[in-house]
Amino acid sequence: MGAPARRQQGGAFCHCRPALAVGGLEPAVPRRGAPAVLGRLRGCSEAAAALRPAPAAAEGPRPRPRLQELQELLKPHLTMCSLKCYSLRALFLLMLCRSMKIPEVEGKGEMLPPTIEKIIKGYNKYLRPFFDNGPVSVGMSLDIASIDTISEINMDYTATIFLRQRWTDERLCFDGNKSLSLDGRLVEMLWVPDTFIVDSKKSFLHDITVENRLIRIYPNGTILYALRITTTVACSMDLTKYPMDKQMCTLQLESWGYNINDVMFYWTRGNDSVRGLDTLRLAQYTVEDHFTSVSEAVYETGRYPKLVFHFELKRNILYFILETYVPSILLVVLSWVSFWISQSSVPARICIGVTTVLTMTTLMMGARTSLPNANCFIKAIDVYLGICFSFIFGALLEYAVAHFCALHRLSSKELPKDEDEEAEEESNGVLAAVANSCSAPDNMSKINSNKTSIDRKRETSKHNGCSSPMSVMKRLFCIFDCFHVKNPYHIDNYARFSFPLSFMIINVFYWVYYLYF
């Protein structure tokens, strides 16, 4: 049979429907266009077979030499074409087997809810709801999942919150009585409020295992949009009463681009719009009070809606009592032990005094590590540590004074009695001269009482000029004489009573002031 006849047979064979069977199973009707693709593949293979040299027939004319030469030249290309055709046929059969059940799934996917169809076809996410009919009312509520850290150094706190926003979009109304919970990634196709946290330093949206978003649409067009956010927010702190302080922190929500003419914010349930603080447990703080407020933020570009959540944190002082106050009190009491040690035991008393001073210095440095370096105010803990350091240093100075007085007394006992009496008479003479010099002007003023008023003023001025320095000297001598200790060993006895009493009185004033004022 000649080449034209073989082409006709091959063309006729291409229009035949093949019978396919894989694993003994008859396949379902293939997709639309599958017979055409199969016909093309089979037509290609038949065309390749038609160009191959035919076996010698018993009857018929012999092929021309030119046709044989053409077949020899095209033989490698025809072989590659046939191999590709067979590979494509096998690939097509595999894909056909895998796509047996696809028509059933596609049939289900074509039945989309009317809300989704409206979002895909006629929804414009760049236009807010009620574009020409007033502002959009956006209700908000919060769930505080955790407050991780509160830093006095950076003056901020880190919290994980669930932010929920509700608004109505008339373009998303649909028939039915059930809400639609959609995939969170669909929010990219909807209009959402441009809410941001005002004092946020850094924030991120949780994305494990997927982005933590919730989108729910109700039949009346109400949209519920929820997010899980972790944010670090600045909090201005007053540390003058640290660690007996209370801090008022806020979480402010504003609209970035829409002013009050476009968007209005409100709390959905008033003060009950924020939940989770009642069951919250913090390391150093206790949440005492919290409330919400609605205000407006005024900028150069306009007035923007703002919601503010206020919460008050009270610091737990028990940790600081055990960590700072009790050790400092014990160091002060330890410094008083030297009052019961003999003054002759110089190394023992010096060792106690120096050790307590150095330990108190270390305690003061450790207490300031968790506080800001640039302190613009004196804190309550600094005041108390300063008081304790003063008492410890005073105990060390007390021994220095007592030891000096004891040595001075020993040196005075070694002087002869004559020199001692002369020194006493000399001191008495100084006091007598001071008294006489002060009393002389008084007598002169009485004698010259009959002089003119000008002389009286002059005499009065001279009297005042003489009496004022003399009276000051007399008072100083009296003060020094009162503090004169005849027995230096009594200094320790006075210190045993005065140091604890004054420390207790100062403690009472300290705690009453910082706890109740």
Side-chain angles (χ1 to χ4, degrees):
M1 183 181 295
R6 284 196 297 269
R7 292 192 185 97
Q8 291 179 1
Q9 290 182 1
F13 185 75
C14 289
H15 295 284
C16 298
R17 184 181 299 273
L20 301 177
V22 178
L25 296 176
E26 286 294 330
V29 179
R31 291 184 178 182
R32 187 185 305 172
V37 176
L38 184 60
R40 291 179 183 178
L41 292 176
R42 294 184 60 86
C44 184
S45 60
E46 293 296 334
L51 293 178
R52 294 175 187 170
E59 298 179 355
R62 299 183 65 179
R64 298 179 182 180
R66 291 184 178 181
L67 183 59
Q68 292 181 358
E69 293 177 1
L70 182 60
Q71 290 179 354
E72 291 295 334
L73 292 174
L74 297 177
K75 185 176 181 180
H77 301 284
L78 294 175
T79 304
M80 294 179 62
C81 182
S82 62
L83 291 176
K84 290 182 179 179
C85 291
Y86 285 118
S87 301
L88 290 173
R89 182 182 296 180
L91 180 61
F92 173 76
L93 293 176
L94 181 60
M95 294 176 62
L96 188 61
C97 293
R98 291 184 177 180
S99 62
M100 289 180 183
K101 298 182 180 180
I102 287 180
E104 181 181 357
V105 177
E106 287 185 349
K108 292 182 179 180
E110 292 177 356
M111 298 177 59
L112 297 176
T115 305
I116 307 301
E117 291 182 356
K118 193 177 295 185
I119 292 174
I120 295 174
K121 293 181 180 179
Y123 191 85
N124 189 352
K125 66 177 182 179
Y126 301 106
L127 297 179
R128 65 174 178 84
F130 306 103
F131 187 74
D132 295 328
N133 298 322
V136 183
S137 297
V138 180
M140 295 194 184
S141 62
L142 292 174
D143 274 3
I144 308 296
S146 65
I147 298 180
D148 303 327
T149 57
I150 301 174
S151 175
E152 292 82 9
I153 298 177
N154 301 323
M155 289 195 177
D156 56 24
Y157 66 92
T158 302
T160 300
I161 61 174
F162 295 95
L163 175 62
R164 298 185 179 91
Q165 305 178 75
R166 292 175 179 267
W167 70 94
T168 301
D169 194 340
E170 76 283 1
R171 298 170 294 180
L172 299 179
C173 297
F174 63 94
D175 297 332
N177 54 4
K178 293 183 178 180
S179 61
L180 296 176
S181 296
L182 307 178
D183 191 279
R185 288 166 289 190
L186 191 62
V187 74
E188 302 294 339
M189 306 177 65
L190 301 177
W191 179 91
V192 294
D194 55 348
T195 309
F196 75 102
I197 301 174
V198 178
D199 297 325
S200 176
K201 295 182 178 180
K202 57 180 180 180
S203 304
F204 65 91
L205 177 67
H206 291 261
D207 55 357
I208 303 298
T209 59
V210 294
E211 289 188 351
N212 296 169
R213 294 179 176 180
L214 182 146
I215 188 73
R216 186 173 296 165
I217 304 177
Y218 294 88
N220 61 349
T222 301
I223 301 174
L224 171 62
Y225 180 44
L227 299 170
R228 183 184 176 214
I229 305 173
T230 295
T231 179
T232 301
V233 185
C235 178
S236 180
M237 299 183 182
D238 182 11
L239 300 176
T240 53
K241 291 188 176 182
Y242 177 90
M244 292 166 281
D245 56 331
K246 296 180 181 180
Q247 304 298 337
M248 179 64 73
C249 296
T250 60
L251 181 65
Q252 303 181 31
L253 303 174
E254 286 186 17
S255 175
W256 175 258
Y258 295 102
N259 56 26
I260 58 176
N261 297 323
D262 299 323
V263 174
M264 295 295 295
F265 286 172
Y266 68 95
W267 295 106
T268 55
R269 294 182 298 273
N271 290 335
D272 295 333
S273 300
V274 181
R275 299 179 179 179
L277 291 177
D278 298 334
T279 58
L280 198 62
R281 296 293 179 268
L282 303 178
Q284 293 187 12
Y285 290 90
T286 302
V287 181
E288 281 202 336
D289 189 19
H290 62 88
F291 59 93
T292 59
S293 63
V294 181
S295 62
E296 295 179 359
V298 181
Y299 299 101
E300 183 180 357
T301 56
R303 305 167 67 90
Y304 298 87
K306 180 168 69 172
L307 298 180
V308 185
F309 169 59
H310 310 261
F311 58 99
E312 185 179 18
L313 299 173
K314 181 181 179 182
R315 196 184 305 272
N316 298 326
I317 195 176
L318 181 60
Y319 167 79
F320 297 94
I321 289 177
L322 299 177
E323 189 74 14
T324 303
Y325 285 95
V326 171
S328 59
I329 292 173
L330 293 179
L331 286 175
V332 173
V333 174
L334 181 61
S335 66
W336 298 341
V337 176
S338 61
F339 301 153
W340 279 266
I341 299 177
S342 175
Q343 293 184 3
S344 59
S345 301
V346 177
R349 298 192 66 165
I350 292 295
C351 180
I352 291 177
V354 173
T355 302
T356 50
V357 168
L358 294 178
T359 307
M360 192 67 201
T361 304
T362 305
L363 187 62
M364 293 173 66
M365 295 176 62
R368 294 176 180 175
T369 55
S370 60
L371 297 175
N373 295 327
N375 296 330
C376 56
F377 34 70
I378 299 176
K379 296 172 287 296
I381 194 170
D382 295 335
V383 173
Y384 194 83
L385 293 177
I387 292 172
C388 294
F389 185 83
S390 301
F391 273 89
I392 292 174
F393 192 74
L396 183 61
L397 291 181
E398 183 272 341
Y399 175 65
V401 172
H403 187 68
F404 175 77
C405 293
L407 292 178
H408 183 69
R409 183 185 180 189
L410 292 176
S411 61
S412 62
K413 285 183 179 180
E414 294 177 357
L415 294 175
K417 292 183 178 180
D418 297 336
E419 295 181 358
D420 193 7
E421 292 176 357
E422 289 179 358
E424 185 177 357
E425 290 177 358
E426 187 174 348
S427 62
N428 293 333
V430 171
L431 293 175
V434 171
N436 292 331
S437 63
C438 293
S439 61
D442 295 336
N443 297 327
M444 291 298 294
S445 61
K446 293 179 181 179
I447 294 171
N448 298 327
S449 61
N450 296 326
K451 291 184 179 181
T452 60
S453 60
I454 299 174
D455 295 335
R456 289 180 181 178
K457 292 181 180 180
R458 292 178 180 176
E459 291 297 330
T460 305
S461 62
K462 290 180 180 179
H463 170 69
N464 294 334
C466 180
S467 62
S468 58
M470 292 303 175
S471 61
V472 171
M473 292 180 63
K474 287 174 64 178
R475 291 175 183 177
L476 289 176
F477 274 111
C478 293
I479 291 173
F480 290 150
D481 185 65
C482 292
F483 281 98
H484 177 69
V485 180
K486 297 180 179 179
N487 188 359
Y489 294 99
H490 292 169
I491 296 178
D492 288 341
N493 296 333
Y494 298 152
R496 294 170 189 172
F497 174 76
S498 61
F499 270 74
L501 180 61
S502 58
F503 187 71
M504 291 175 62
I505 293 174
I506 291 176
N507 267 273
V508 170
F509 280 104
Y510 174 85
W511 291 105
V512 169
Y513 174 77
Y514 281 105
L515 288 177
Y516 299 102
F517 293 99

